[in-house]
Every structure is written in structure tokens, then in C-alpha cells.
């Protein structure tokens, strides 16, 4: 897919801009990853990562970046027995996950609206 896109971008001065716009447009419809507590979901097929084709998957980055990553680090560490068990009920963990999902979606929406605004300003100035 990437190869065919690269071939359609051309080699003129706007090829990089076309590539960036089309890549952005193609990635928008992809389902956004969601945080959830595995103890709340009964359907283990929801744990899989489609693109990586693995049945169980967790994701996190440095715990200094986001609260959700701190929670994942603590839960993973507790499940591996390298730290004490977490003293939160699964429903409380799910509430935290829901809150993190809400904030992430709001942030994504603001980012998209900001890009739309700057594009509109760009078009207006160039018109």
C-alpha cells in the first residue's frame, strides 16, 4: 500500500504535501486504541491487536508522559510480582481507563479542529 502511494505522489514540488495529506486522510478512519481493564471484559477477542495479529496486547510509553501509562506500568509490575498488588477494584480501574479515553478523544478532536482551522486560514490568505 505504501509503495503504491509513493508512486502516485509524483516528484514535483507538491509531492511531499500530497503525501502528508493522503497519509493523514488514510490514517484517520483507523480505530483509535482504547484503555480498558481486562477484568471487566469477558470477551478476550477484544484484547487482541489487529495489525500485529497477537491475541493479547498491552501498550504503554514512558510513565512520565501520561497518567494512563503510570497505571499500566503499575498494573503490569504487580501482575509480574515485582511490586505489591494494586489496591483498586477492577471497576475503579475501568473508570480511570474511561476517563483517560475521554481525555485522549477530546485531545484528538482539538488537534483535528486546529488543523482544520489553520488550513482554512491558509486557504483564505492564499485566495
Amino acid at each position: 500500500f505504501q509503495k503504491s502511494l509513493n508512486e502516485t505522489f509524483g516528484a514535483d514540488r507538491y509531492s511531499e504535501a500530497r503525501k502528508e495529506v493522503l497519509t493523514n486522510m488514510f490514517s484517520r478512519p483507523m480505530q483509535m486504541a482504547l484503555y480498558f481493564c481486562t477484568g471487566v471484559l469477558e470477551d478476550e477477542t477484544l484484547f487482541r491487536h489487529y495489525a500485529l495479529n497477537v491475541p493479547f496486547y498491552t501498550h504503554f510509553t514512558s510513565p512520565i508522559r501520561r497518567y494512563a501509562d503510570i497505571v499500566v506500568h503499575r498494573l503490569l509490575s504487580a501482575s509480574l510480582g515485582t511490586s505489591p498488588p494494586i489496591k483498586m477494584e477492577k471497576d475503579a480501574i475501568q473508570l480511570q481507563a474511561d476517563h483517560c479515553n475521554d481525555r485522549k478523544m477530546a485531545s484528538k478532536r482539538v488537534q483535528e479542529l486546529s488543523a482544520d482551522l489553520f488550513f482554512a486560514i491558509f486557504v483564505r490568505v492564499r485566495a
Side-chain angles (χ1 to χ4, degrees):
F1 181 70
Q2 187 67 33
K3 182 181 174 190
S4 65
L5 277 179
N6 285 334
E7 291 172 0
T8 63
F9 294 137
D12 62 357
R13 67 183 195 166
Y14 298 111
S15 62
E16 281 302 312
R18 279 194 299 275
K19 180 179 179 180
E20 190 172 330
V21 168
L22 288 174
T23 301
N24 187 338
M25 290 174 68
F26 285 131
S27 65
R28 272 191 181 182
M30 293 174 67
Q31 183 179 0
M32 205 160 128
L34 296 175
Y35 296 106
F36 62 90
C37 177
T38 58
V40 189
L41 299 178
E42 293 180 18
D43 184 3
E44 287 189 2
T45 62
L46 297 174
F47 301 174
R48 79 176 294 105
H49 190 288
Y50 177 78
L52 296 176
N53 195 27
V54 292
F56 297 102
Y57 178 82
T58 190
H59 170 82
F60 54 89
T61 61
S62 168
I64 63 170
R65 286 195 59 212
R66 297 181 295 229
Y67 176 71
D69 297 317
I70 293 171
V71 173
V72 172
H73 272 255
R74 290 178 182 167
L75 290 168
L76 187 57
S77 179
S79 70
L80 295 173
T82 59
S83 68
I86 303 296
K87 295 182 179 167
M88 286 177 72
E89 295 294 323
K90 59 186 175 185
D91 292 333
I93 294 170
Q94 184 59 48
L95 281 174
Q96 292 294 318
D98 291 340
H99 177 73
C100 290
N101 290 331
D102 290 344
R103 297 296 84 217
K104 186 167 66 167
M105 295 244 199
S107 174
K108 182 173 174 54
R109 182 69 180 136
V110 168
Q111 181 182 5
E112 290 171 352
L113 289 171
S114 174
D116 292 347
L117 172 65
F118 282 101
F119 181 71
I121 291 169
F122 173 78
V123 169
R124 185 174 184 178
V125 167
R126 298 287 182 210

